[in-house]
Amino acid sequence: MGSLVLPALAGVGVLAGAATQRATGLGFALVAAPFLVQVLGARAGVGLANLLSATLCALVLLRTWRAVDWRRMAWLSVPGLAAVPLGALVVRTLPEPPLLVMVGTLAVGAMLLVRFNERAAALRGRSGAVVAGATSGFMNVTAGLGGPMITVHALSEGWDMRRFVATAQGCLLLTNCVSLTTKGLPDIPPTALTAAAALVLTGAAAGEWLAARVDPALVRRLVISVALLGGLAAVLRGALMW
C-alpha cells in the first residue's frame, strides 16, 4: 500500500495543478513537479512536467489568446529561450542526487518568492522582463518551474489577471516546447502518460469552473503551501541519496 502513496500524491498534484493554472495562470508545475520528481526521478519527472505543462498551456491559450500581450510576451520569451540550452547542459551534467536537491531548492525558492512578493516591484520594465524571462527559461528546463519569475514580473508591472493568465501561457508554452526539444521526451510508460494527460484535462475543466466561483488568491496561497512540502521532500530525498 505504501508504494502507492507517492504516485497517488503525484496524481493529485497533476489534477490540482492543472485546475489552479486554469483558474489563476500559475500553479501546475509548482504543485506537480516536486511530486513527479519524487516518483520518477529528477530528469524524467521534470521532463513529464514540461510535457504536461506544454499541453495545459496550449489548452488554456486556446481559451484566452485574445488577451495575450504579444509585446510583453516577446520580451519575456526571447531571453527565456536563450537560457534553455544552459539549463539543459546542467541537467545532463549533474548526477541524480544533486539534481534532486537543486530541483527541490528551486521549487521552494520559487514558491516563497511568489508567496511573499505579492507587491514586488523589483522586475519592472524591459530589463526586468529580460531578467525574469531568462531566469524563467533556466528554471523551466532544470526544474519545470517557469511560471514564478513571470509572475514576479507581472506583479511588478501590475498586470490585470486576465492579461497575465493569457500571456503567461504563451511564454510557458514556447519555453516548455524548446525545453523538450533540447532534452528529448521523457521515458514514461504509455499507461502512465495517458493517465497523466487525463488528469490534466480533468483539472483544466475543473479550473474553468473554479475561475468563476473561487477567489484566485485563496487558491494560489493554498496550492503554494501544499507544493512547498513537495519541494522540501525532493531536497530531502536528494540529500539522503547523496
Side-chain angles (χ1 to χ4, degrees):
M1 182 67 68
S3 62
L4 298 177
V5 173
L6 277 177
L9 286 174
V12 172
V14 169
L15 182 66
T20 305
Q21 183 152 329
R22 174 61 192 95
T24 70
L26 179 69
F28 177 75
L30 284 173
V31 180
F35 290 107
L36 291 174
V37 163
Q38 288 290 304
V39 175
L40 301 171
R43 290 179 178 82
V46 171
L48 182 57
N50 288 145
L51 180 60
L52 296 177
S53 181
T55 303
L56 180 61
C57 288
L59 290 172
V60 177
L61 193 59
L62 286 173
R63 300 280 292 170
T64 61
W65 66 270
R66 290 183 179 84
V68 173
D69 186 328
W70 298 102
R71 180 175 295 180
R72 289 179 187 267
M73 179 177 159
W75 276 103
L76 287 164
S77 297
V78 171
L81 297 178
V84 167
L86 175 61
L89 178 63
V90 170
V91 170
R92 287 194 298 267
T93 303
L94 281 183
E96 185 79 0
L99 189 56
L100 274 170
V101 172
M102 187 190 73
V103 168
T105 301
L106 287 175
V108 171
M111 285 178 278
L112 292 176
L113 191 64
V114 173
R115 176 64 182 88
F116 294 110
N117 284 273
E118 294 184 353
R119 293 176 177 83
L123 295 179
R124 285 180 175 171
R126 291 180 178 177
S127 60
V130 170
V131 172
T135 309
S136 172
F138 179 82
M139 290 178 62
N140 190 71
V141 72
T142 55
L145 298 168
M149 293 307 297
I150 295 175
T151 302
V152 173
H153 175 67
L155 292 171
S156 299
E157 291 284 312
W159 291 9
D160 68 89
M161 193 65 180
R162 181 169 170 268
R163 190 168 297 277
F164 164 70
V165 170
T167 307
Q169 306 317 302
C171 293
L172 294 174
L173 175 60
L174 285 175
T175 308
N176 277 302
C177 288
V178 174
S179 296
L180 288 167
T181 301
T182 305
K183 296 186 299 182
L185 294 174
D187 185 16
I188 306 296
T191 51
L193 192 57
T194 302
L199 288 171
V200 165
L201 292 173
T202 303
E208 186 89 15
W209 183 86
L210 286 171
R213 294 169 176 82
V214 181
D215 180 8
L218 175 62
V219 176
R220 184 178 297 176
R221 284 195 294 269
L222 177 61
V223 165
I224 290 174
S225 298
V226 173
L228 181 62
L229 298 176
L232 291 172
V235 173
L236 179 60
R237 181 184 176 193
L240 292 174
M241 291 171 61
W242 218 319

